[in-house]
Amino acid sequence: LRSSAYCRQLCTNIKPPDGAVNKLLRRKTQIAERSLIDRFQSTNEEYLHGVTAYEAEVLSVAVTPLLRSEAIRYKIQLNIENALGKNVTFFDDKESPQSKALDWIVNNDLLKLEPDDDTLIQRYFVVSIWFNMEGEEWNRKDNWLNAVSECTWYGISCGDREMSGNVMEIDLSNNGLKGSLPI
């Protein structure tokens, strides 16, 4: 973080080309972005030396949302791949319910969870139920996709009904669900 050149490097949105090497290039891009995120978040004086107050403000306004977005995408995809024991491709299809759920978490969720939030993956899976099972058509959808804990959404029961907790039960019976459970 020695100069504005580093800021430009952070701000560049790397888009791999289409084709057979797309998956490999995307994985290398994710690794590079993770490295940049780690370096940006470091409190090491070597990286912070010479940054003006203005540059720091620009970084916090312009880069932080991009880093948050990419870190969330990376964490969710990595967790799913680890759970399934294989690479997944449904995120490549922007119209898939899984992609729509991920896009909602990153761009539309007013709760704005951070990548290291303990409930991020849980929230993604609950949101993916909405998109996989046509949530817009449900009979009851109280609190769904609102800026409150998923533990307060209709049919979701958590160990702690307040703002956090682990989902313990999902009961959406007789609610007009269509489709299939995610993954």
Side-chain angles (χ1 to χ4, degrees), residues 37-53:
I37 290 167
D38 290 344
R39 287 182 66 190
F40 176 71
Q41 292 176 339
S42 171
T43 57
N44 187 326
E45 289 295 320
E46 177 184 347
Y47 298 121
L48 298 177
H49 179 70
V51 175
T52 66

Side-chain angles (χ1 to χ4, degrees), residues 86-132:
K86 63 180 182 177
N87 290 337
V88 294
T89 58
F90 45 71
F91 291 119
D92 296 337
D93 176 5
K94 298 301 178 201
E95 294 302 313
S96 74
Q98 294 88 349
S99 270
K100 289 179 181 180
L102 181 59
D103 185 63
W104 184 86
I105 290 281
V106 170
N107 299 312
N108 301 102
D109 187 358
L110 296 178
L111 199 54
K112 298 286 185 208
L113 296 178
E114 291 300 320
D116 61 349
D117 192 292
D118 291 338
T119 62
L120 176 66
I121 302 300
Q122 167 178 289
R123 190 167 178 89
Y124 165 77
F125 277 107
V126 174
V127 170
S128 67
I129 291 171
W130 172 272
F131 284 100
N132 271 276

Side-chain angles (χ1 to χ4, degrees), residues 6 9-10 14 25-39 67 74:
Y6 186 73
Q9 184 181 11
L10 276 173
I14 303 168
L25 288 174
R26 189 171 57 251
R27 180 62 76 200
K28 286 183 178 182
T29 299
Q30 289 171 340
I31 292 167
E33 288 172 344
R34 182 76 248 157
S35 174
L36 289 174
I37 290 167
D38 290 344
R39 287 182 66 190
L67 295 177
Y74 177 75

